[in-house]
Amino acid sequence: MSPKVPQKNCKLLRKIMSVVALAVCGIGPAAFALENDEDHFQRFSALPILGYSEETKLQYGAMALLFFKPNEPGGKVQEIDITAYGSTRKQFQFLMVPYFYLYHDRIGGIVDFRYQNWVGSYFGMGNDVDFDKYIGFDRERLHFSTELKSSIGLPRSFNYGVKVVAERSSTDFNDCTKDRCADMDLPDLHNGWRNGGGYILSYDTRDNLNWTRSGFLVRWQQMFYSDWLGDYDFGVQDLDLRGYTPLFWNISVATAALWQRASGDVPFDMLSGPDGTKRFRGVESLFFRDNQSLILQAELRKYLGWRLAGDIFFEGAKVGDHFSELLRNRWHQAVGFGGMLALNLKERLYARGEISWVDYEKFGMTVYIRSAF
C-alpha cells in the first residue's frame, strides 16, 4: 500500500514549490561575473540569498564568491566565500571561508570563520524522535577552524593533514509551556570553549571537487577536544566513503556512506547525526542524534544545458548509542529531487535547491551552495 500524504503536507509542498521558484528567479539574474578579456577568467560571483531550509525557514541575505587565478596553468582555482544572511526564525549568520593551494597544489587548505546568533530545536536523543515534539534554544556561537592537507612525499591522490578548531558557544533552552516539550529530558548546555585538534587521512581521485563525475574518496578524520585547551574533553571521528561514475546522456551517479562517532563529554550540538543540508537533506540539523550515526546516499546528476543541472536522490540515516544498537535501529529514509544553477560554469560551482520527502510523511527543502557530497 502506498503511504498516504497528510493534507497539511500537500499545502506545504505547494508552499515549498513557490519558494523554489522564487529562489531560482532571485539567484538567476543576480549572479554575475567580472571576466578578463584576455582569458575570460571569472573573478567573482555575487547574488542575493533567497533560500529555505527546515532549520532556518526563509533565508534572506547576500553572498559573494571571489576567485583567484591558479598559481600555474591548469592548477586549482583559489576562492573566498563570504556570506551573510538572516532568517524568518530570527537567526543571523556570517561566514568567511577561504580555499587556498600552495606548492604546485600539493598543499591545500580551508579556513572557516563564522559567527552565529541562532535559534534551533532540540528533538531529544536517539533514533526514534517525533517531528512535533521538541524544545527551542537560543545560541550565540563564534567558530574558527583551519584545515591543512598535503600530498608531499606521496602520490597526489594520497593526502595527510591536520585540523585545528577554536569555538565558543553560549546556549539557553527556552521555557517550556506546551505539551510538545513538557516531559523532555534536557542535556547539559556545555557553554564555554570547545577547542581541539586532529588529523585527516584521505585517498582522493575525484575529477572535480564541485561537480564530481568520476573517481572516489576515502577519508578518515579524528578530532580530540581537550579540557587543557578549553572547557570540555571529548572526541569525534568519521569515515567518509564516496564513489562517482559517469553513465550516459551526460548523467553521472554519486554514492556515499558516512559513519560518525562521538565519545566523552560531548556537547549535545556536536553529537553524531545528519546536518540536514548535505547529509540527509530536508530535516533540521541533528534532528535525530546520538553517539554514533550511519548515513547512506545515492544520487543521479545531469547537466541540462546553459547554466542548469538537476538531480534525484535517495538517502537513509540512523543513529545509535553504540555500534550494535546502531545496526539494529530502523532506517530513516528520504527521496527527493532538485535543480541547480551554475555560479561559476568553468569551475562547475552550482547553487542548488532540493525538495525531500522524509520518512514518507514530511516534506522538507534545502537551498544551498555546492553539491551535497
Side-chain angles (χ1 to χ4, degrees):
M1 179 182 296
S2 301
K4 184 178 181 181
V5 183
Q7 184 64 31
K8 65 178 181 179
N9 277 337
C10 294
K11 295 179 180 179
L12 178 60
L13 179 58
R14 290 194 292 269
K15 181 179 178 181
I16 286 173
M17 293 298 290
S18 300
V19 175
V20 172
L22 285 171
V24 171
C25 292
I27 290 174
F32 61 93
L34 178 64
E35 296 183 347
N36 185 301
D37 291 337
E38 296 179 0
D39 57 12
H40 301 287
F41 178 79
Q42 183 170 328
R43 300 290 184 176
F44 70 92
S45 287
L47 64 154
I49 293 174
L50 180 58
Y52 184 96
S53 75
E54 292 305 301
E55 185 168 6
T56 62
K57 305 308 178 188
L58 188 64
Q59 303 170 1
Y60 49 88
M63 171 185 293
L65 309 176
L66 311 178
F67 305 105
F68 301 89
K69 285 187 176 182
N71 295 321
E72 55 191 38
K76 294 181 179 179
V77 173
Q78 304 184 83
E79 180 183 339
I80 300 177
D81 298 352
I82 302 173
T83 307
Y85 68 85
S87 79
T88 52
R89 286 189 72 182
K90 299 182 179 180
Q91 299 156 321
F92 173 78
Q93 180 164 245
F94 171 82
L95 302 93
M96 184 169 64
V97 185
Y99 299 79
F100 62 90
Y101 301 95
L102 305 168
Y103 193 62
H104 310 293
D105 296 343
R106 301 299 293 262
I107 298 175
I110 302 173
V111 178
D112 185 343
F113 172 80
R114 65 184 64 197
Y115 169 77
Q116 279 187 336
N117 195 334
W118 210 247
V119 174
S121 301
Y122 175 73
F123 293 88
M125 288 282 291
N127 195 58
D128 297 317
V129 292
D130 188 337
F131 286 109
D132 299 318
K133 187 175 181 180
Y134 63 91
I135 185 170
F137 62 82
D138 299 310
R139 179 178 66 202
E140 187 173 28
R141 177 173 172 241
L142 184 65
H143 173 94
F144 172 84
S145 64
T146 181
E147 179 181 318
L148 190 67
K149 64 179 184 179
S150 173
S151 62
I152 294 176
L154 297 172
R156 280 188 177 270
S157 297
F158 291 91
N159 287 273
Y160 52 90
V162 295
K163 184 174 182 178
V164 176
V165 176
E167 175 179 303
R168 182 170 180 83
S169 178
S170 177
T171 305
D172 290 304
F173 284 113
N174 299 336
D175 293 334
C176 182
T177 58
K178 298 181 179 180
D179 292 340
R180 61 172 168 76
C181 56
D183 58 347
M184 292 191 68
D185 294 326
L186 301 183
D188 190 308
L189 291 173
H190 286 78
N191 289 331
W193 286 98
R194 301 102 167 255
N195 301 332
Y199 67 91
I200 303 166
L201 302 174
S202 66
Y203 182 70
D204 189 355
T205 65
R206 292 174 293 174
D207 64 328
N208 183 281
L209 300 185
N210 295 324
W211 177 264
T212 311
R213 287 181 50 82
S214 64
F216 58 89
L217 169 71
V218 179
R219 186 178 187 271
W220 168 258
Q221 175 178 291
Q222 191 165 18
M223 294 290 297
F224 305 94
Y225 294 82
S226 173
D227 52 12
W228 289 8
L229 303 173
D231 297 319
Y232 301 99
D233 192 34
F234 61 96
V236 293
Q237 303 88 37
D238 63 73
L239 176 63
D240 191 353
L241 308 175
R242 310 182 197 181
Y244 308 86
T245 304
L247 298 178
F248 45 83
W249 300 330
N250 209 16
I251 297 173
S252 63
V253 59
T255 57
L258 176 67
W259 173 75
Q260 300 172 309
R261 178 177 180 268
S263 58
D265 190 17
V266 189
F268 80 97
D269 56 333
M270 297 182 72
L271 287 163
S272 300
D275 62 14
T277 55
K278 297 181 179 181
R279 303 299 184 132
F280 203 76
R281 288 156 275 186
V283 298
E284 290 202 39
S285 176
L286 295 179
F287 167 62
F288 43 92
R289 71 189 81 199
D290 215 316
N291 292 321
Q292 295 194 37
S293 66
L294 180 62
I295 302 171
L296 304 180
Q297 298 173 281
E299 183 170 289
L300 291 175
R301 302 170 179 170
K302 178 174 173 57
Y303 174 66
L304 300 174
W306 188 60
R307 289 177 173 263
L308 301 177
D311 65 61
I312 58 175
F313 58 87
F314 173 81
E315 299 180 305
K318 56 181 175 178
V319 300
D321 179 63
H322 48 275
F323 192 70
S324 61
E325 181 184 88
L326 176 68
L327 294 181
R328 292 193 305 268
N329 282 344
R330 72 178 181 94
W331 286 98
H332 295 274
Q333 301 172 46
V335 295
F337 65 93
M340 302 183 191
L341 176 70
L343 305 179
N344 186 325
L345 193 56
K346 184 177 180 181
E347 295 302 315
R348 292 184 273 179
L349 176 61
Y350 289 86
R352 58 183 169 91
E354 295 164 319
I355 295 174
S356 305
W357 191 16
V358 180
D359 280 341
Y360 309 117
E361 67 174 281
K362 182 179 186 299
F363 286 105
M365 179 179 164
T366 304
V367 176
Y368 213 70
I369 186 172
R370 291 188 172 86
S371 298
F373 61 94

